[in-house]
Amino acid sequence: GKGVAALGLVAALAWLLSGFYTVQTNEVGINLRFGAYAGKTQPGLNYNLPYPIGSVVKLKVTDRNAIDIGSRSIPDRVRAGSESMLDVPEESLMLTGDENIADVKFRVIWQIDPVKPEDFAFNIRNPQDTVKAVAESAMREIVGRTQIQRILTAERKIIEPTAQELMQKVLNEYKAGVLVLQVQLLSVDPPAQVISAFRDVTAAQQDMQRLRNEAE
């Protein structure tokens, strides 16, 4: 009987000791008790009641993530170790405010909010898909109220921070626990089918302005 009690005590002690865990410097630990949020822990040695009572989710809150909208990077079969870009027109083609079509490719850089990592862990099921959907929707809204000529020229530097602000607002409403760090426009062009005609129009406009200046 004493032997059985001793074995039970050792087993209970080993079970309790298994609750110690380490959080790396780029992580935050999310403690769960019976599946419910019970607090977060900082880098270092921490403790939570072991399974099946408790569990831990570790989130890399300082790692930066990037999502490309309108294009995908794929391995280059010709040059080993390099990548090539594949167009995704169903994402990149957007209607402008003056009813033209713009081919907009951009990148969103984001990370988990270190202040509210529990929101990221519990409030959204597919974080990558959620950020991508919000990014595409925000960019379509901004492009949809801007003329194509302004998108191609002066408005580009205004679009990036405006899209970032709108994305962050929507994600905050979702309580997604995501920080949008930067929006980068990779390219803004007319659709490939009409780009040569669009360049002809632009060249004609420039010729008209030049001739006008010479006449004056």
Side-chain angles (χ1 to χ4, degrees):
K2 291 181 179 180
V4 172
L7 287 175
L9 183 60
V10 170
L13 183 60
W15 177 76
L16 289 171
L17 290 175
S18 68
F20 284 101
Y21 65 94
T22 301
V23 177
Q24 303 299 323
T25 56
N26 66 330
E27 297 176 332
V28 166
I30 304 294
N31 284 345
L32 306 178
R33 302 278 172 79
F34 297 108
Y37 174 66
K40 55 190 174 187
T41 54
Q42 299 303 316
L45 185 65
N46 298 277
Y47 183 81
N48 190 29
L49 287 174
Y51 181 84
I53 296 177
S55 59
V56 178
V57 176
K58 299 178 184 180
L59 299 175
K60 300 181 185 298
V61 294
T62 63
D63 288 8
R64 295 192 171 193
N65 308 280
I67 298 177
D68 287 343
I69 312 294
S71 62
R72 299 283 185 279
S73 59
I74 57 174
D76 195 321
R77 296 180 180 179
V78 178
R79 295 175 296 176
S82 61
E83 294 182 341
S84 58
M85 300 304 294
L86 175 68
D87 289 343
V88 186
E90 58 268 24
E91 295 177 0
S92 63
L93 295 180
M94 302 182 185
L95 185 67
T96 65
D98 53 354
E99 297 184 354
N100 281 294
I101 299 293
D103 190 351
V104 182
K105 299 179 178 66
F106 65 102
R107 177 174 295 148
V108 179
I109 300 174
W110 62 279
Q111 70 176 49
I112 301 172
D113 188 349
V115 178
K116 296 181 179 179
E118 63 274 15
D119 287 351
F120 181 86
F122 300 115
N123 291 345
I124 51 177
R125 179 173 296 177
N126 298 307
Q128 189 89 358
D129 293 342
T130 300
V131 173
K132 179 182 176 182
V134 170
E136 186 176 344
S137 175
M139 187 62 73
R140 288 187 183 278
E141 178 178 338
I142 294 168
V143 170
R145 58 178 187 238
T146 310
Q147 295 181 352
I148 190 169
Q149 195 62 42
R150 299 174 66 183
I151 295 173
L152 297 174
T153 55
E155 293 289 324
R156 295 188 60 169
K157 292 301 180 183
I158 301 175
I159 289 174
E160 292 175 338
T162 304
Q164 179 181 351
E165 181 180 351
L166 181 56
M167 283 185 59
Q168 191 65 67
K169 178 182 177 182
V170 175
L171 289 168
N172 289 345
E173 291 174 355
Y174 290 169
K175 295 184 178 180
V178 170
L179 286 179
V180 181
L181 302 177
Q182 190 177 10
V183 175
Q184 300 174 343
L185 283 173
L186 302 178
S187 66
V188 181
D189 298 298
Q193 297 88 335
V194 298
I195 193 168
S196 59
F198 192 92
R199 287 173 177 167
D200 290 342
V201 171
T202 303
Q205 291 173 341
Q206 292 173 347
D207 289 342
M208 180 184 68
Q209 186 63 43
R210 177 178 57 81
L211 293 170
R212 179 181 296 166
N213 292 339
E214 290 176 354
E216 292 174 351

